Amino acid sequence: MKVKKAVIPAAGLGTRFLPATKAMAKEMLPIVDKPTIQFIVEEALKSGIEDILIVTGKAKRPIEDHFDANLELEMNLKEKGKTDLLKLVEETTDVNLHFIRQSHPKGLGHAVLQARAFVGNEPFVVMLGDDLMEDEVPLTKQLIDDYEKTHASTIAVMDVPHEDTSKYGIIDPGMQVDKGLYNVKNFVEKPSPDKAPSDLAIIGRYLLTPEIFDVLAKQAPGAGDEIQLTDAIDTLNKTQRVFARQFTGKRFDVGDKFGFMKTSIEYGLTHPEVKDNLKKYLIDLGKELAADAPEQTEAPAKQDKTTNKA
């Protein structure tokens, strides 16, 4: 059975970006001129996904509006001959999107459970909006290609610094069955570095079989008193194989302020409208910061400790 459906959880409160997210969906914060959620939708479409369900919550209506037609705006752009801008606007409307509300924020596992009726008895992908992935082959497509060989759930992972394991779900990898593809012994949600079984962290792309819904429906709350998707995957792994695909491309973490700023700068350096001015600005800023930095005192010369022999 082909993988044609994707679920994008977007019901979080976005507290890391307050006050901007008090009345605005975090997923609509732009990287230069494109909302972060649009990058996720584009990855899904490039991977062959045909139907997308976005799980939303309060203050998330702008997401629906963004992917809806805006006839007044489109007419205005047509009349003024702004065909390039019109094309950009129309790119967001030719997508087969569905929406459902997660009324109570009970964790990622609970958000995914809301997709049960939409998914039915099919394999599907879960794509988190905090991670933007860049590779020659989209990461979601890599997971789909793996599924076509194994017909099993496959989770995307990548190496993270050992001291950061407490921020992620971590896998205990078993045998490597193909290049970059591992059997998984266990999944551990946010272990402390001294208890982490590896440095391979789950990074926001999951291909799951529909049996995950039976597990999620019975899953007890875990870390943060929420229903954790990682815990449910670990339970699923006890009854059917679950693999991990090691991602070797570039990951942009837009889940916190600093990661978001870095992503905006790097994307801006490739954007045709701003890249030249941004590059010049960064070079000038670097010179200015270097000039303001305190002068380094010259290190004293090392004494020659060799002795002369008579």
Side-chain angles (χ1 to χ4, degrees), residues 99-116:
F99 297 88
I100 191 170
R101 278 284 190 101
Q102 183 188 20
S103 301
H104 302 285
K106 297 180 180 179
L108 177 58
H110 183 260
V112 172
L113 185 57
Q114 308 310 300
R116 187 169 199 168

Side-chain angles (χ1 to χ4, degrees), residues 85-310:
L85 290 177
L86 178 61
K87 184 179 178 181
L88 289 175
V89 170
E90 290 177 338
E91 281 180 357
T92 62
T93 60
D94 191 22
V95 182
N96 196 10
L97 285 177
H98 311 262
F99 297 88
I100 191 170
R101 278 284 190 101
Q102 183 188 20
S103 301
H104 302 285
K106 297 180 180 179
L108 177 58
H110 183 260
V112 172
L113 185 57
Q114 308 310 300
R116 187 169 199 168
F118 166 78
V119 169
N121 195 34
E122 300 180 35
F124 66 105
V125 293
V126 175
M127 308 173 69
L128 305 189
D130 283 349
D131 294 306
L132 307 185
M133 308 299 187
E134 189 177 282
D135 206 350
E136 291 182 9
V137 177
L139 178 52
T140 296
K141 180 66 167 60
Q142 294 179 36
L143 298 182
I144 292 173
D145 290 344
D146 287 332
Y147 176 81
E148 290 178 353
K149 298 173 185 175
T150 65
H151 302 290
S153 296
T154 308
I155 316 303
V157 298
M158 75 181 302
D159 277 307
V160 298
H162 187 67
E163 62 271 18
D164 289 342
T165 56
S166 60
K167 301 176 183 177
Y168 299 91
I170 301 292
I171 69 164
D172 183 2
M175 182 179 65
Q176 189 170 189
V177 297
D178 198 358
K179 185 178 180 181
L181 186 67
Y182 296 87
N183 263 316
V184 181
K185 297 177 184 177
N186 296 292
F187 295 83
V188 186
E189 180 64 21
K190 298 179 179 178
S192 58
D194 61 307
K195 294 182 179 178
S198 76
D199 295 335
L200 289 172
I202 299 171
I203 53 169
R205 298 293 185 274
Y206 311 75
L207 193 153
L208 300 169
T209 55
E211 287 80 11
I212 192 68
F213 293 117
D214 288 335
V215 179
L216 285 169
K218 301 173 184 176
Q219 187 68 48
D225 199 31
E226 295 181 336
I227 298 175
Q228 297 291 345
L229 181 59
T230 301
D231 294 342
I233 293 170
D234 189 51
T235 301
L236 181 68
N237 193 35
K238 292 174 172 58
T239 58
Q240 61 177 243
R241 295 181 304 167
V242 178
F243 294 95
R245 160 59 58 188
Q246 186 171 8
F247 181 57
T248 57
K250 191 163 188 178
R251 169 180 175 249
F252 297 92
D253 182 356
V254 295
D256 60 51
K257 293 183 181 74
F258 184 54
F260 186 87
M261 292 172 67
K262 288 197 297 182
T263 303
S264 297
I265 291 170
E266 292 202 37
Y267 180 68
L269 287 170
T270 66
H271 193 289
E273 293 180 35
V274 301
K275 63 181 182 180
D276 294 335
N277 286 336
L278 179 59
K279 184 176 181 180
K280 182 179 183 302
Y281 168 74
L282 291 174
I283 291 172
D284 291 343
L285 181 62
K287 292 176 180 177
E288 183 180 326
L289 292 173
D292 290 342
E295 291 186 11
Q296 297 290 327
T297 56
E298 191 172 326
K302 292 182 178 180
Q303 286 188 329
D304 187 356
K305 295 183 179 180
T306 58
T307 56
N308 293 323
K309 291 183 178 180

